[in-house]
């Protein structure tokens, strides 16, 4: 049983070599531990696709996890095999997939956003203004440095955002991420091109941006003809 700690140390070292976030490191290590324990503490090098498929199916059927959770578990296991053990898994196809919930994001009206901002003070007020004014994710806003602010062009440079990409920007249950949703929705309501909003939000797929069209306060009647 001495192999497990050594293996996890190797996983940790490889994750840090790739500069993954601490949150990702903790999640990957937890999923790898659970995968090993589920298979009676067998070493992953002695297992293959059937064991992985059984574990992922167990998460969906018995654990009733959401699709993103199952996908994260798969990503952790694939990282273990490809980047640590340097083994290629056969095609993993016999997995019961967790259902992907379809949720419409919570979006406040402009008046509600203003009331929310009026209730905040100090640093919280500044952070909320940045989230709503630029569409940044919460952690992206918290990691901002002075050199990331371009006052001449009135823009913010997001360094190493989600997907390790840099980019340039500009009673309801409400959280910090709600202001990001409001940013995208209000830009679309004002007639900005969806591709422009996609780039500002840092979305890899335009379909992620399109979800905001479901909560816009505009219908077909509000669309102006090019002739007009």
């Amino acid at each position: 049983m001495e192999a497990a700690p050594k293996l996890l140390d190797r996983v940790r070292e490889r994750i840090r070599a790739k500069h993954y976030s601490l949150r990702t490191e903790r999640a990957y290590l937890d999923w790898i531990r659970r995968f090993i324990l589920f298979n009676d503490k067998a070493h992953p090098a002695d297992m293959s696709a059937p064991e992985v498929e059984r574990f992922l199916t167990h998460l969906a059927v018995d654990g009733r996890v959401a699709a993103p959770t199952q996908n994260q578990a798969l990503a952790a296991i694939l990282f273990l095999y490809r980047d640590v053990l340097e083994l290629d898994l056969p095609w993993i196809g016999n997995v019961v997939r967790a259902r992907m919930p379809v949720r419409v994001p919570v979006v406040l009206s402009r008046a509600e956003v203003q009331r929310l901002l009026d209730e905040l003070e100090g640093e919280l007020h500044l952070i909320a203004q940045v989230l709503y004014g630029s569409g940044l994710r919460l952690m992206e806003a918290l990691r901002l440095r002075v050199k990331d602010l371009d006052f001449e062009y009135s823009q913010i440079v997001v360094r190493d955002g989600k997907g390790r990409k840099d980019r340039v920007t500009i009673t309801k249950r409400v959280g910090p991420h709600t202001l990001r949703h409001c940013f995208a929705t209000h830009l679309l309501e004002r007639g900005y091109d969806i591709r422009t909003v996609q780039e500002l939000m840092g979305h890899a797929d335009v379909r992620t941006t399109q979800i905001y069209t479901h909560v816009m306060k505009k219908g077909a009647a509000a669309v102006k003809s090019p002739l007009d």
Side-chain angles (χ1 to χ4, degrees):
M1 292 308 300
E2 295 180 357
K6 292 181 181 178
L7 176 63
L8 294 180
D9 286 341
R10 290 170 58 192
V11 173
R12 184 178 293 105
E13 291 173 1
R14 190 62 181 153
I15 288 176
R16 294 182 180 180
K18 286 182 168 288
H19 305 290
Y20 286 8
S21 69
L22 181 59
R23 182 181 299 178
T24 299
E25 175 184 319
R26 290 171 176 169
Y28 277 23
L29 288 172
D30 181 61
W31 283 121
I32 292 170
R33 287 192 192 96
R34 292 175 63 174
F35 171 62
I36 293 172
L37 291 174
F38 178 80
N39 288 286
D40 299 322
K41 300 182 180 180
H43 195 283
D46 299 326
M47 298 186 283
S48 188
E51 288 82 7
V52 175
E53 291 171 347
R54 284 198 296 270
F55 177 64
L56 295 175
T57 298
H58 160 73
L59 292 178
V61 176
D62 301 320
R64 297 181 180 273
V65 301
T69 303
Q70 189 187 44
N71 290 337
Q72 186 186 62
L74 174 59
I77 294 171
L78 290 178
F79 181 88
L80 168 66
Y81 278 93
R82 294 174 181 173
D83 292 80
V84 180
L85 299 176
E86 297 183 349
L87 296 174
D88 288 328
L89 286 174
W91 174 251
I92 300 174
N94 298 320
V95 175
V96 175
R97 291 290 182 180
R99 292 185 178 182
M100 176 67 76
V102 179
R103 296 191 179 98
V104 175
V106 173
V107 174
L108 305 178
S109 69
R110 295 191 186 107
E112 287 174 323
V113 171
Q114 189 57 57
R115 288 201 298 271
L116 172 63
L117 294 176
D118 290 342
E119 293 295 322
L120 300 176
E121 298 179 353
E123 293 180 354
L124 293 179
H125 183 262
L126 177 61
I127 293 171
Q129 284 183 311
V130 171
L131 295 179
Y132 180 54
S134 64
L136 297 188
R137 298 176 176 91
L138 177 59
M139 291 307 299
E140 291 173 343
L142 294 177
R143 291 171 180 163
L144 284 178
R145 297 163 294 180
V146 174
K147 69 177 184 178
D148 299 328
L149 307 178
D150 190 334
F151 294 102
E152 182 175 355
Y153 288 96
S154 299
Q155 64 185 22
I156 297 174
V157 179
V158 180
R159 311 283 183 183
D160 197 19
K162 189 172 182 179
R164 299 188 58 80
K165 296 179 292 185
D166 291 354
R167 76 178 191 277
V168 175
T169 71
I170 57 180
T171 316
K172 294 179 179 179
R173 294 181 59 187
V174 176
H177 212 68
T178 304
L179 294 174
R180 173 174 162 84
H181 296 322
C182 296
F183 167 79
T185 305
H186 294 175
L187 285 183
L188 289 171
E189 287 178 351
R190 292 180 180 182
Y192 283 86
D193 179 78
I194 194 168
R195 293 288 184 180
T196 300
V197 178
Q198 175 194 358
E199 182 177 346
L200 292 174
M201 295 292 286
H203 292 159
D205 194 321
V206 71
R207 289 176 294 184
T208 305
T209 316
Q210 287 173 337
I211 192 171
Y212 295 106
T213 62
H214 298 295
V215 292
M216 290 171 55
K217 301 300 183 182
K218 286 188 176 182
V223 179
K224 291 186 177 181
S225 164
L227 182 61
D228 296 335

